[in-house]
Amino acid sequence: MKADAGLSLEFTLHGADFELAGAASSKIKRILQQVGVKSDVIRRIAISSYEAEMNVIIHAYHGEMRVSIYPNRTEITIEDEGPGIPDIKLAMQEGYSTASDHIRELGFGAGMGLPNIARCCDAFEITSEVGKGTRIYMMILH
Amino acid sequence: MKLCEAKILLNAEVVFGGHLLDKEVTTACGADLMSDVLAFTKERTLLLTGLTNLQVIRTAEMSDLAGIVFVRGKRPSQDVIQLAANNGIPLLVTSWPMFEACGLLYSGGIRGCSSPQGVHHES
C-alpha cells in the first residue's frame, strides 16, 4: 500500500436484510481501531456509516458501500438502487421520514438519520434520482 | 458510577457481561428510538430501552455505549445476546418499567446526556 493510496473496502448491502444491517459499519469500525484512529473520530465515522447503511436496508433494494481510509481522513460513498428521494431538502429536516411502522418498531424511521449524518461529517453530499436511487458521500477528517 | 452500582439500583439481572460490571457509566439515556440514541448520546452512556432487537446492539456498538438495560423484564433472544457478546457490550434486565428505571438511576446520581457533564460534544 502506498502511503497516500489509502485502504479501500467495499461492501454490498441488501435492502430489508435486517439480520446483517450494521455488519459493514461494524467492520469499518474495527479496521479504524486497528489502524489507530482516535476513538471520538471513529465514533463519528461509525455513527454516520451505520445511519447511511440503515437507510439502504430500510429504503432501497440494493446498495454498494465504498470506504477509503487515508492517514488524515475517511471517505465513504454509498450508492443504492431504490426509490430515490423526491425532495432532499425535506428529507434533511429533523423528524421527516417516510419509513413504515415496521421500521419504526425497530427504533428507526424517526427522521433523524440524514441530519445526524450531516452533523457527524466534515463533508457530506447527497444526490438522488426518483425511481433510480440515492448516492451519499461522507468525509470525516481524522 | 460503575455499572455494578447501576445494577444494584435497578435490581437488575445480568444477561451478558458479568465480567464487565466495573465499567464506568457517566450518563444514561432512556429511548426506544435508536436514531435518537445515535444522535444525542455520548460515549459511556448506559442505554435503557424496551426494544430487544439486533439494531439496539448495533447502535450501542457504534455509539460506544457502556451497556444496555432492558426494561419491564424484556429479554433479548440468543442471537441478540451473541452479537452483544461479540462486541463486549454488557446486557442487563430490570423488571422496572422505563420511567421508574430512569428515575432510580437519576436519584442515584446518574445524569442525562443533555446535562452539563453530559453535553454532546461536537469536534
Side-chain angles (χ1 to χ4, degrees), chain A residues 18-19 21-23 25-26 29-30 40 43-44 46-47 50-51 54 105-108 110 112 116 119, chain B residues 32-36 38-43 51 53-55 58-59 61-64 86-87 122-123:
Chain A
F18 291 97
E19 293 291 310
S25 301
S26 179
K29 184 175 183 187
R30 278 171 200 230
D40 60 323
R43 188 172 187 270
R44 285 197 290 131
I47 288 173
Y50 181 50
E51 287 276 22
M54 284 304 293
E105 281 161 18
L106 292 174
F108 283 86
M112 294 303 297
N116 195 18
R119 191 164 38 221
Chain B
D32 287 347
L33 271 179
M34 295 303 110
S35 303
D36 277 0
L38 289 161
F40 300 118
T41 57
K42 301 197 339 156
E43 61 275 17
L51 289 185
N53 59 41
L54 289 167
Q55 271 65 52
R58 289 292 187 203
T59 298
E61 177 192 0
M62 302 308 158
S63 306
D64 296 328
N86 293 347
N87 288 287
E122 311 249 16
S123 49

Side-chain angles (χ1 to χ4, degrees), chain A residues 107-128:
Chain A
F108 283 86
M112 294 303 297
L114 289 175
N116 195 18
I117 293 171
R119 191 164 38 221
C120 284
C121 293
D122 293 298
F124 170 69
E125 290 164 19
I126 177 167
T127 52
S128 189

